[in-house]
Amino acid sequence: MLESFLQILAGRRPKRTPWVADLTYWIDSRAATDPVAAAAKNEEGFLALCDRLKVMPYYWYAQFWAGEPEFEGVTVHEGTSGDTRQVEWRLPAGELLAVYRRLGGTWSEAPARYPVQDERDLDLLLDLMERRRWRPAHLEEYPARLARWAQQGGLPCLGFPRSPLSALFTEWTGFEYGSLLAMDRPDKVHRILDCMEQQERPLLEAITRVVDARDVLEQTN
């Protein structure tokens, strides 16, 4: 399946249709009662489950994100109570607060309160973005993991931060507030988006230093 998957990415007709499934929700929802799902919480068990289901290993969130945010002069507090999770960013000029609620039966969560509610929050978000850096994560061990997964016909995916506009609407403002603020204060919104874009470049450079497409092709031979 890996060979066919790479053929699709290269724009060629694959020999077969690879089945790439995100098993995370099934694993997390059943791990407490199902020994197969519990075993799949670690890498060896996950690869074994994919082999059993004839799924191409691709998504494994334990080592998925290629970058972790770091902030200078900011204190981040996160806490969970029941089905509610809160994240607070404390800056010298004020605080931003996000609230998320877990949706019963879906094993996922959705924002109940976005951090940015008005122009004052927008100023705080600009300050927060100027203090943020992306620290590369899970890259040093990636070549070894790539070799292990290729033996199972898989390719470990690396998650990259959302693009700036998507990140602004999805993570910080919501679509309604984000649209209004973009119309009312386009200067500040553009500065935030430019800051987000600039922060991506060192992370991209770190990824390309570690991950070479030729390594992937060699694993399939």
Side-chain angles (χ1 to χ4, degrees):
M1 284 191 287
L2 176 56
E3 182 181 358
S4 295
F5 183 80
L6 295 174
Q7 287 172 340
I8 293 174
L9 293 182
R12 299 194 297 268
R13 184 184 296 274
K15 295 180 179 179
R16 58 181 295 190
T17 301
W19 181 19
V20 180
D22 185 353
L23 302 174
T24 308
Y25 296 96
W26 181 87
I27 293 170
D28 287 347
S29 64
R30 297 179 61 90
T33 58
D34 189 323
V36 174
K41 297 286 285 186
N42 62 57
E43 184 178 21
E44 182 180 356
F46 174 75
L47 293 175
L49 177 63
C50 289
D51 182 65
R52 175 181 175 182
L53 298 177
K54 307 304 179 185
V55 174
M56 174 185 158
Y58 190 59
Y59 293 107
W60 188 54
Y61 289 104
Q63 293 186 343
F64 177 74
W65 296 109
E68 295 178 351
E70 292 184 334
F71 301 94
E72 181 179 353
V74 178
T75 304
V76 183
H77 290 274
E78 182 172 350
T80 302
S81 177
D83 63 353
T84 300
R85 181 171 68 91
Q86 293 189 1
V87 183
E88 185 178 25
W89 297 264
R90 298 179 181 175
L91 298 94
E95 298 82 31
L96 290 173
L97 174 66
V99 180
Y100 306 90
R101 290 205 174 92
R102 183 166 292 279
L103 307 178
T106 69
W107 210 255
S108 60
E109 65 178 19
R113 185 189 191 280
Y114 286 98
V116 176
Q117 302 285 304
D118 50 32
E119 187 174 345
R120 174 185 175 277
D121 291 340
L122 190 68
D123 290 333
L124 290 173
L125 178 61
L126 176 57
D127 187 17
L128 183 68
M129 291 299 101
E130 290 176 341
R131 296 170 178 271
R132 188 182 71 174
R133 299 293 182 269
W134 284 104
R135 179 176 61 84
H138 304 136
L139 295 184
E140 292 184 359
E141 64 271 26
Y142 185 82
R145 190 178 336 120
L146 175 62
R148 289 194 301 271
W149 285 45
Q151 293 176 0
Q152 301 289 330
L155 176 68
C157 181
L158 284 173
F160 196 71
R162 289 186 176 93
S163 61
L165 185 61
S166 175
L168 180 69
F169 284 166
T170 304
E171 301 171 11
W172 300 103
T173 67
F175 185 78
E176 180 180 359
Y177 283 124
S179 299
L180 294 173
L181 290 168
M183 290 187 293
D184 294 340
R185 296 311 308 263
D187 53 335
K188 293 181 180 180
V189 170
H190 286 162
R191 287 175 62 189
I192 291 171
L193 297 178
D194 288 343
C195 187
M196 290 179 174
E197 183 177 3
Q198 291 296 325
Q199 291 173 5
E200 292 177 352
R201 295 180 180 179
L203 184 56
L204 274 172
E205 292 171 358
I207 293 173
T208 54
R209 284 196 298 268
V210 173
V211 182
D212 191 323
R214 290 171 296 183
D215 294 336
V216 178
L217 295 175
E218 289 175 0
Q219 302 297 337
T220 66
N221 296 331

